[in-house]
mmCIF file of all heavy atoms in Angstrom:
data_model
loop_
_atom_site.group_PDB
_atom_site.id
_atom_site.type_symbol
_atom_site.label_atom_id
_atom_site.label_comp_id
_atom_site.label_asym_id
_atom_site.label_seq_id
_atom_site.Cartn_x
_atom_site.Cartn_y
_atom_site.Cartn_z
ATOM 1 N N ALA A 1 0.668 10.048 1.538
ATOM 2 C CA ALA A 1 0.450 9.288 0.308
ATOM 3 C C ALA A 1 -0.861 9.718 -0.340
ATOM 4 O O ALA A 1 -1.818 10.082 0.348
ATOM 5 C CB ALA A 1 0.408 7.799 0.617
ATOM 6 N N ASN A 2 -0.888 9.657 -1.661
ATOM 7 C CA ASN A 2 -2.101 9.903 -2.437
ATOM 8 C C ASN A 2 -2.264 8.747 -3.412
ATOM 9 O O ASN A 2 -1.340 8.457 -4.174
ATOM 10 C CB ASN A 2 -2.000 11.224 -3.200
ATOM 11 C CG ASN A 2 -1.965 12.402 -2.261
ATOM 12 O OD1 ASN A 2 -2.903 12.632 -1.521
ATOM 13 N ND2 ASN A 2 -0.880 13.145 -2.286
ATOM 14 N N VAL A 3 -3.408 8.073 -3.328
ATOM 15 C CA VAL A 3 -3.680 6.950 -4.213
ATOM 16 C C VAL A 3 -5.091 7.080 -4.759
ATOM 17 O O VAL A 3 -5.931 7.755 -4.172
ATOM 18 C CB VAL A 3 -3.516 5.580 -3.492
ATOM 19 C CG1 VAL A 3 -2.081 5.357 -3.091
ATOM 20 C CG2 VAL A 3 -4.438 5.468 -2.293
ATOM 21 N N SER A 4 -5.339 6.428 -5.890
ATOM 22 C CA SER A 4 -6.693 6.453 -6.442
ATOM 23 C C SER A 4 -7.001 5.124 -7.112
ATOM 24 O O SER A 4 -6.109 4.366 -7.490
ATOM 25 C CB SER A 4 -6.860 7.607 -7.427
ATOM 26 O OG SER A 4 -5.958 7.498 -8.485
ATOM 27 N N THR A 5 -8.286 4.870 -7.227
ATOM 28 C CA THR A 5 -8.797 3.652 -7.846
ATOM 29 C C THR A 5 -10.247 3.916 -8.230
ATOM 30 O O THR A 5 -10.758 5.016 -8.030
ATOM 31 C CB THR A 5 -8.672 2.447 -6.885
ATOM 32 O OG1 THR A 5 -9.002 1.249 -7.581
ATOM 33 C CG2 THR A 5 -9.558 2.592 -5.668
ATOM 34 N N THR A 6 -10.913 2.922 -8.763
ATOM 35 C CA THR A 6 -12.341 3.062 -9.051
ATOM 36 C C THR A 6 -13.130 2.517 -7.862
ATOM 37 O O THR A 6 -12.592 1.794 -7.025
ATOM 38 C CB THR A 6 -12.733 2.308 -10.338
ATOM 39 O OG1 THR A 6 -12.323 0.952 -10.216
ATOM 40 C CG2 THR A 6 -12.076 2.920 -11.553
ATOM 41 N N LEU A 7 -14.396 2.870 -7.804
ATOM 42 C CA LEU A 7 -15.262 2.362 -6.740
ATOM 43 C C LEU A 7 -15.225 0.835 -6.725
ATOM 44 O O LEU A 7 -15.135 0.195 -7.776
ATOM 45 C CB LEU A 7 -16.706 2.822 -6.950
ATOM 46 C CG LEU A 7 -17.004 4.257 -6.563
ATOM 47 C CD1 LEU A 7 -18.378 4.649 -7.069
ATOM 48 C CD2 LEU A 7 -16.910 4.461 -5.061
ATOM 49 N N ASN A 8 -15.263 0.258 -5.555
ATOM 50 C CA ASN A 8 -15.292 -1.187 -5.327
ATOM 51 C C ASN A 8 -13.996 -1.901 -5.716
ATOM 52 O O ASN A 8 -13.961 -3.122 -5.749
ATOM 53 C CB ASN A 8 -16.479 -1.849 -6.035
ATOM 54 C CG ASN A 8 -17.791 -1.219 -5.630
ATOM 55 O OD1 ASN A 8 -18.053 -1.007 -4.452
ATOM 56 N ND2 ASN A 8 -18.611 -0.895 -6.602
ATOM 57 N N GLU A 9 -12.958 -1.159 -6.029
ATOM 58 C CA GLU A 9 -11.647 -1.740 -6.331
ATOM 59 C C GLU A 9 -10.667 -1.343 -5.233
ATOM 60 O O GLU A 9 -10.873 -0.358 -4.529
ATOM 61 C CB GLU A 9 -11.131 -1.266 -7.694
ATOM 62 C CG GLU A 9 -11.987 -1.715 -8.860
ATOM 63 C CD GLU A 9 -11.972 -3.219 -9.087
ATOM 64 O OE1 GLU A 9 -10.934 -3.850 -8.847
ATOM 65 O OE2 GLU A 9 -13.016 -3.755 -9.515
ATOM 66 N N THR A 10 -9.574 -2.084 -5.105
ATOM 67 C CA THR A 10 -8.619 -1.862 -4.022
ATOM 68 C C THR A 10 -7.516 -0.890 -4.425
ATOM 69 O O THR A 10 -6.938 -1.005 -5.502
ATOM 70 C CB THR A 10 -7.968 -3.193 -3.600
ATOM 71 O OG1 THR A 10 -9.006 -4.122 -3.267
ATOM 72 C CG2 THR A 10 -7.067 -3.015 -2.403
ATOM 73 N N ALA A 11 -7.256 0.080 -3.543
ATOM 74 C CA ALA A 11 -6.099 0.978 -3.668
ATOM 75 C C ALA A 11 -5.103 0.548 -2.592
ATOM 76 O O ALA A 11 -5.494 0.143 -1.494
ATOM 77 C CB ALA A 11 -6.516 2.424 -3.447
ATOM 78 N N TYR A 12 -3.822 0.609 -2.909
ATOM 79 C CA TYR A 12 -2.786 0.156 -1.981
ATOM 80 C C TYR A 12 -1.830 1.290 -1.634
ATOM 81 O O TYR A 12 -1.416 2.050 -2.513
ATOM 82 C CB TYR A 12 -1.954 -0.969 -2.606
ATOM 83 C CG TYR A 12 -2.739 -2.205 -2.925
ATOM 84 C CD1 TYR A 12 -3.283 -2.389 -4.187
ATOM 85 C CD2 TYR A 12 -2.944 -3.191 -1.966
ATOM 86 C CE1 TYR A 12 -4.009 -3.537 -4.496
ATOM 87 C CE2 TYR A 12 -3.669 -4.329 -2.260
ATOM 88 C CZ TYR A 12 -4.196 -4.492 -3.531
ATOM 89 O OH TYR A 12 -4.915 -5.620 -3.822
ATOM 90 N N ILE A 13 -1.473 1.353 -0.370
ATOM 91 C CA ILE A 13 -0.391 2.216 0.088
ATOM 92 C C ILE A 13 0.631 1.277 0.696
ATOM 93 O O ILE A 13 0.316 0.519 1.619
ATOM 94 C CB ILE A 13 -0.868 3.230 1.155
ATOM 95 C CG1 ILE A 13 -1.956 4.144 0.587
ATOM 96 C CG2 ILE A 13 0.319 4.035 1.686
ATOM 97 C CD1 ILE A 13 -2.632 5.014 1.631
ATOM 98 N N VAL A 14 1.844 1.304 0.160
ATOM 99 C CA VAL A 14 2.911 0.440 0.677
ATOM 100 C C VAL A 14 4.090 1.332 1.035
ATOM 101 O O VAL A 14 4.556 2.123 0.223
ATOM 102 C CB VAL A 14 3.336 -0.622 -0.358
ATOM 103 C CG1 VAL A 14 4.443 -1.502 0.199
ATOM 104 C CG2 VAL A 14 2.141 -1.462 -0.778
ATOM 105 N N VAL A 15 4.553 1.191 2.284
ATOM 106 C CA VAL A 15 5.661 1.992 2.771
ATOM 107 C C VAL A 15 6.664 1.070 3.444
ATOM 108 O O VAL A 15 6.287 0.204 4.235
ATOM 109 C CB VAL A 15 5.171 3.043 3.793
ATOM 110 C CG1 VAL A 15 6.328 3.869 4.321
ATOM 111 C CG2 VAL A 15 4.115 3.935 3.189
ATOM 112 N N GLY A 16 7.927 1.246 3.130
ATOM 113 C CA GLY A 16 8.980 0.452 3.750
ATOM 114 C C GLY A 16 9.334 -0.757 2.910
ATOM 115 O O GLY A 16 8.879 -0.910 1.780
ATOM 116 N N ARG A 17 10.189 -1.610 3.503
ATOM 117 C CA ARG A 17 10.651 -2.807 2.808
ATOM 118 C C ARG A 17 10.694 -3.983 3.765
ATOM 119 O O ARG A 17 10.929 -3.810 4.959
ATOM 120 C CB ARG A 17 12.072 -2.616 2.297
ATOM 121 C CG ARG A 17 12.178 -1.799 1.080
ATOM 122 C CD ARG A 17 13.580 -1.868 0.608
ATOM 123 N NE ARG A 17 14.237 -0.652 1.080
ATOM 124 C CZ ARG A 17 15.450 -0.314 0.774
ATOM 125 N NH1 ARG A 17 16.179 -1.097 0.046
ATOM 126 N NH2 ARG A 17 15.960 0.805 1.204
ATOM 127 N N GLU A 18 10.516 -5.152 3.171
ATOM 128 C CA GLU A 18 10.718 -6.367 3.946
ATOM 129 C C GLU A 18 12.209 -6.628 4.022
ATOM 130 O O GLU A 18 12.933 -6.242 3.113
ATOM 131 C CB GLU A 18 10.041 -7.550 3.255
ATOM 132 C CG GLU A 18 8.556 -7.554 3.399
ATOM 133 C CD GLU A 18 7.962 -8.825 2.842
ATOM 134 O OE1 GLU A 18 7.842 -8.930 1.612
ATOM 135 O OE2 GLU A 18 7.649 -9.698 3.657
ATOM 136 N N PRO A 19 12.732 -7.270 4.969
ATOM 137 C CA PRO A 19 12.081 -7.847 6.139
ATOM 138 C C PRO A 19 12.022 -6.895 7.321
ATOM 139 O O PRO A 19 11.515 -7.251 8.376
ATOM 140 C CB PRO A 19 12.958 -9.052 6.451
ATOM 141 C CG PRO A 19 14.330 -8.600 6.098
ATOM 142 C CD PRO A 19 14.139 -7.675 4.905
ATOM 143 N N GLU A 20 12.571 -5.661 7.177
ATOM 144 C CA GLU A 20 12.630 -4.753 8.314
ATOM 145 C C GLU A 20 11.260 -4.265 8.769
ATOM 146 O O GLU A 20 10.709 -4.737 9.745
ATOM 147 C CB GLU A 20 13.539 -3.565 7.988
ATOM 148 C CG GLU A 20 14.973 -3.935 7.753
ATOM 149 C CD GLU A 20 15.492 -3.411 6.443
ATOM 150 O OE1 GLU A 20 14.897 -2.466 5.887
ATOM 151 O OE2 GLU A 20 16.482 -3.958 5.952
ATOM 152 N N GLU A 21 10.727 -3.282 8.055
ATOM 153 C CA GLU A 21 9.422 -2.712 8.389
ATOM 154 C C GLU A 21 8.679 -2.412 7.104
ATOM 155 O O GLU A 21 9.064 -1.511 6.367
ATOM 156 C CB GLU A 21 9.577 -1.399 9.166
ATOM 157 C CG GLU A 21 9.873 -1.553 10.610
ATOM 158 C CD GLU A 21 9.824 -0.202 11.315
ATOM 159 O OE1 GLU A 21 9.834 0.851 10.658
ATOM 160 O OE2 GLU A 21 9.777 -0.209 12.541
ATOM 161 N N MET A 22 7.644 -3.158 6.843
ATOM 162 C CA MET A 22 6.824 -2.883 5.675
ATOM 163 C C MET A 22 5.373 -2.733 6.121
ATOM 164 O O MET A 22 4.809 -3.623 6.750
ATOM 165 C CB MET A 22 6.915 -3.983 4.634
ATOM 166 C CG MET A 22 6.191 -3.583 3.351
ATOM 167 S SD MET A 22 6.313 -4.797 2.047
ATOM 168 C CE MET A 22 4.956 -5.851 2.478
ATOM 169 N N TYR A 23 4.817 -1.572 5.825
ATOM 170 C CA TYR A 23 3.418 -1.301 6.108
ATOM 171 C C TYR A 23 2.667 -1.336 4.782
ATOM 172 O O TYR A 23 3.086 -0.718 3.814
ATOM 173 C CB TYR A 23 3.239 0.084 6.731
ATOM 174 C CG TYR A 23 4.024 0.303 7.993
ATOM 175 C CD1 TYR A 23 5.270 0.929 7.973
ATOM 176 C CD2 TYR A 23 3.516 -0.116 9.205
ATOM 177 C CE1 TYR A 23 5.975 1.138 9.130
ATOM 178 C CE2 TYR A 23 4.226 0.097 10.383
ATOM 179 C CZ TYR A 23 5.452 0.724 10.330
ATOM 180 O OH TYR A 23 6.152 0.929 11.482
ATOM 181 N N LYS A 24 1.563 -2.042 4.754
ATOM 182 C CA LYS A 24 0.699 -2.059 3.568
ATOM 183 C C LYS A 24 -0.721 -1.784 4.029
ATOM 184 O O LYS A 24 -1.191 -2.371 4.999
ATOM 185 C CB LYS A 24 0.759 -3.413 2.869
ATOM 186 C CG LYS A 24 -0.081 -3.455 1.597
ATOM 187 C CD LYS A 24 0.228 -4.687 0.773
ATOM 188 C CE LYS A 24 -0.864 -5.688 0.913
ATOM 189 N NZ LYS A 24 -0.673 -6.873 0.078
#
């Protein structure tokens, strides 16, 4: 995964789906 944001802000990586397997 490649994500970007500004300093002091949150970047999210989300993989999978609920209810099986979701990683955030």
Side-chain angles (χ1 to χ4, degrees):
N2 294 298
V3 295
S4 59
T5 188
T6 55
L7 282 169
N8 305 313
E9 296 293 326
T10 305
Y12 297 94
I13 299 171
V14 180
V15 179
R17 283 188 261 185
E18 285 187 282
E20 296 127 20
E21 280 187 345
M22 187 177 86
Y23 303 96
K24 182 168 104 176

